Amino acid sequence: NKVIINTEMIKNFLIISCTGKNDKIGIRFNNNFFTHNLQTKIQNNDILVSTILNLINKHKVNIDKKFSILVNSGPGSYSSTRIALSVAKGIKIAKDIEFYGFKNSDLPQFTVENIEILINKKLLEKNLIKPLYLS
């Protein structure tokens, strides 16, 4: 039951990769790519939303219908994965934009080149609700 995704539409995006290890967020906007490493010693739920807002404001990113969110669905820490999915889902609802999930193993390194491979190989799931947790 895979949904066909038009990867041509994914040009500007927010990517959230919070699985409890090497947590990062990135924004691609107007052919620029900005990243931010999250400190793992601080609770992600305390800083994730404010970090995203700061990155958006700093780089004057316009979140509109042409913007997408990509979120790492795991496997990873239960709380980190749930927080990332919840934040992404909240932004999707507030801004009425597309939301996609990907597996941790499909993004070996957090670079714009690898993210483009992830998108072009259609390794995304639309409206992901089934995260994978480490046990």
Side-chain angles (χ1 to χ4, degrees):
N1 288 347
K2 283 246 182 195
V3 176
I4 296 172
I5 298 169
N6 183 358
T7 55
E8 306 296 316
M9 298 299 293
I10 304 175
K11 297 292 180 214
N12 295 320
F13 58 79
L14 165 67
I15 183 166
I16 305 171
S17 184
C18 292
T19 58
K21 201 172 190 183
N22 299 321
D23 295 345
K24 299 176 189 265
I25 59 173
I27 293 181
R28 184 169 76 181
F29 185 69
N30 290 339
N31 295 318
N32 295 309
F33 186 63
F34 311 101
T35 62
H36 183 83
N37 296 332
L38 298 170
Q39 297 177 12
T40 54
K41 294 187 192 288
I42 299 173
Q43 293 286 22
N44 285 340
N45 57 340
D46 292 339
I47 61 167
L48 184 58
V49 173
S50 61
T51 304
I52 290 170
L53 288 173
N54 288 341
L55 202 60
I56 287 169
N57 291 333
K58 178 180 179 181
H59 299 292
K60 297 177 177 60
V61 174
N62 181 29
I63 298 179
D64 58 16
K65 295 259 189 205
K66 297 177 184 174
F67 202 84
S68 300
I69 299 177
L70 314 176
V71 64
N72 190 334
S73 61
S77 155
Y78 176 81
S79 55
S80 295
T81 305
R82 289 304 306 167
I83 290 164
L85 287 167
S86 297
V87 168
K89 190 71 166 178
I91 296 169
K92 177 211 181 325
I93 291 168
K95 293 294 191 173
D96 191 28
I97 59 178
E98 295 297 327
F99 170 48
Y100 304 99
F102 64 92
K103 292 184 177 95
N104 199 30
S105 58
D106 291 335
L107 187 62
Q109 280 191 308
F110 196 88
T111 64
V112 72
E113 295 81 14
N114 284 339
I115 296 166
E116 287 173 353
I117 290 169
L118 180 79
I119 294 168
N120 293 331
K121 285 189 174 181
K122 301 180 192 277
L123 297 172
L124 302 172
E125 292 185 47
K126 190 167 171 85
N127 296 325
L128 179 78
I129 304 294
K130 300 174 234 157
L132 303 169
Y133 306 115
L134 294 177
S135 49

